[in-house]
Amino acid sequence: MKNILVVDDAATVRMYHRKMLGDAGWHVEEAVNGLEALERVMNQPPDQPFDLYVVDINMPKMDGYTFVRELRRLPHGALAPVLMVSTEAQPQDALAAEEAGANGYLIKPARPQGLVLTAALMLGDVQVARRTAEAQSFQGVRA
């Protein structure tokens, strides 16, 4: 089972992401800021690394950009994909996320199917990606 860490200071956003990603069949853990997330990563058993990080930008103690830069310095954090999800909607925000080491960028509020499909693609979970894409296509036909 894939292991995802959601990092966001807003409890409602963490709960929303946990629900969407958990319903897709993945194990989801949470951290309230980048500092707590970094501590979780460093204390994670080596045989149970996080497979994906879903990270907000604006958080107290350590923002998302700093967290991603620090994560990329760790041997076991260098490869796992990072999806930034933020209210920051300017092109330079996505560019800054990429420069920090993020692999993808979504603007809040992320639509459930967009969040799940992006996560599935980043995780290489073909089954969930296909199921989500088919559901999205079907809804588009009905609309």
Side-chain angles (χ1 to χ4, degrees), residues 66-115:
T66 305
F67 166 72
V68 175
R69 283 192 292 274
E70 293 299 317
L71 175 69
R72 294 303 188 213
R73 290 185 179 128
L74 299 173
H76 51 285
L79 299 177
V82 174
L83 174 61
M84 301 289 278
V85 183
S86 178
T87 57
E88 304 299 331
Q90 299 301 314
Q92 65 264 22
D93 300 311
L95 181 59
E98 181 183 350
E99 289 172 351
N103 304 91
Y105 195 91
L106 294 177
I107 298 169
K108 286 181 185 176
R111 293 181 180 214
Q113 290 176 326
L115 176 66

Side-chain angles (χ1 to χ4, degrees), residues 10-38:
T12 53
V13 173
R14 289 193 316 272
M15 191 168 38
Y16 173 76
H17 289 171
R18 175 187 276 276
K19 171 84 170 118
M20 296 302 111
L21 299 169
D23 284 354
W26 302 309
H27 175 75
V28 181
E29 296 184 32
E30 302 174 16
V32 299
N33 59 55
L35 186 60
E36 180 183 320
L38 198 56

Side-chain angles (χ1 to χ4, degrees), residues 6-10 14 30-37 59-62:
V6 172
V7 187
D8 199 300
D9 58 321
R14 289 193 316 272
E30 302 174 16
V32 299
N33 59 55
L35 186 60
E36 180 183 320
M59 299 178 286
K61 297 188 182 181
M62 181 185 288

Side-chain angles (χ1 to χ4, degrees), residues 113 117 129-143:
Q113 290 176 326
L117 180 57
R130 183 175 294 128
R131 186 174 62 234
T132 304
E134 287 171 356
Q136 195 168 3
S137 294
F138 182 70
Q139 283 185 346
V141 170
R142 290 185 359 200

